[in-house]
Amino acid sequence: MVAAPVPCAEEVIPRPTAVERPWIVPRLLDDGRPGHDLDDPAVRRFWTALVGPGATADLLRMTRAAVTRRPIREPRHRWALLREQAIWWDGADLWVHRRIPYLVEWQVRRLRPALRAEYRLVLERLADAA
């Protein structure tokens, strides 16, 4: 049995309102600032609660791209990450840290109480291990 051809399969016409996101190469800001490793479960747990899953994925994607120096599409959630000071933009380049920054107190206060207590325990364990 042969499937019917898809109409207009030969030419794909994008929506007139579609805007292609430009390619960027995030730059690595290696200032020795402490933070979570990229594969630390705390990143997904607490940064996701703070900025959402899409912004957290963008942050991890940009950090990996900066470490490997490869281009990626401009992140959709750039402004949310700029607002939370997880990344920096100087007008020409996006800068990310080698490690995902620890949440600061004003960010921790925005978490719900159970997550807030859990994050403070995570920071205590990190301080004890150091």
Side-chain angles (χ1 to χ4, degrees):
M1 176 177 196
V2 178
V6 176
C8 300
E10 296 82 34
E11 63 179 273
V12 176
I13 302 171
R15 295 185 327 262
T17 57
V19 177
E20 187 172 331
R21 293 181 291 141
W23 288 92
I24 62 165
V25 179
R27 309 267 319 260
L28 194 59
L29 182 62
D30 202 2
D31 59 357
R33 183 177 176 180
H36 300 284
D37 291 328
L38 293 178
D39 57 353
D40 188 346
V43 173
R44 293 197 186 272
R45 178 132 176 95
F46 302 108
W47 272 98
T48 300
L50 185 68
V51 295
T56 304
D58 279 349
L59 178 60
L60 292 170
R61 193 176 305 114
M62 282 190 297
T63 305
R64 283 194 180 93
V67 169
T68 59
R69 296 187 180 119
R70 65 177 173 82
I72 60 170
R73 292 282 185 186
E74 184 179 285
R76 294 184 191 277
H77 302 282
R78 178 182 61 179
W79 296 110
L81 295 170
L82 284 166
R83 182 183 65 235
E84 298 300 330
Q85 300 175 359
I87 63 173
W88 283 263
W89 183 40
D90 63 8
D93 295 314
L94 276 175
W95 295 84
V96 296
H97 289 285
R98 179 175 296 279
R99 297 168 60 90
I100 305 301
Y102 293 137
L103 299 181
V104 293
E105 188 58 34
W106 60 271
Q107 293 169 321
V108 173
R109 283 193 306 256
R110 290 177 29 217
L111 297 174
R112 62 180 205 257
L115 275 179
R116 194 177 313 148
E118 186 179 338
Y119 190 70
R120 288 190 174 127
L121 285 174
V122 167
L123 291 181
E124 285 176 17
R125 287 186 198 128
L126 289 172
D128 290 343

